[in-house]
C-alpha cells in the first residue's frame, strides 16, 4: 500500500488545483526502513532515503549498498537522510 500512497502523493502535489498550495513545487518525500522491501521501495520512489540500522558499521555499509543497487539509475536523484 505504501507504493500506492507514494504514487498518489506525487499525483496530488502535481495537481495545480490542490490546496493548500505546497511551499515547494514538489515537496520531497522521505521513506525510511531497515528491511529489504521497504528499502527497495524507498530506493525506487523516494526523494530522501533513511536507513535504519542498530547493527554494526559493516551492516550499515551493506544496507547502503543495497539501496544503491535498488536505486539503479535513480541513485543521483536520491538524497540520503542525515538524521
Amino acid at each position: 500500500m505504501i507504493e500506492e500512497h507514494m504514487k498518489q502523493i506525487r499525483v496530488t502535489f502535481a495537481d495545480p488545483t490542490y490546496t493548500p498550495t505546497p511551499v515547494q513545487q514538489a515537496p520531497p518525500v522521505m521513506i525510511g526502513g531497515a528491511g529489504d522491501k521497504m528499502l527497495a521501495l524507498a530506493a525506487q520512489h523516494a526523494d530522501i532515503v533513511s536507513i535504519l540500522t542498530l547493527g554494526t558499521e559493516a551492516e550499515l555499509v551493506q544496507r547502503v549498498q543495497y539501496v544503491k543497487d535498488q536505486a539503479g539509475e535513480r541513485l543521483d536523484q536520491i538524497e540520503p537522510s542525515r538524521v
Side-chain angles (χ1 to χ4, degrees):
M1 286 190 64
I2 293 175
E3 184 173 1
E4 292 174 29
H5 287 288
M6 185 68 218
K7 290 176 182 177
Q8 186 58 49
I9 288 168
R10 297 276 189 211
V11 168
T12 299
F13 284 136
D15 181 355
T17 64
Y18 174 75
T19 57
T21 305
V23 175
Q24 296 171 301
Q25 181 74 19
V29 176
M30 180 172 77
I31 298 176
D36 287 352
K37 287 182 182 180
M38 191 60 82
L39 289 177
L41 180 73
Q44 295 163 11
H45 296 284
D47 301 306
I48 305 167
V49 175
S50 179
I51 300 172
L52 171 65
T53 182
L54 301 174
T56 65
E57 184 176 337
E59 291 170 330
L60 175 59
V61 168
Q62 187 275 332
R63 297 283 71 203
V64 169
Q65 187 59 51
Y66 181 80
V67 169
K68 288 179 177 181
D69 293 343
Q70 294 297 309
E73 294 180 11
R74 287 195 72 240
L75 184 59
D76 63 340
Q77 300 169 17
I78 297 173
E79 176 183 334
S81 173
R82 306 232 191 285
V83 177

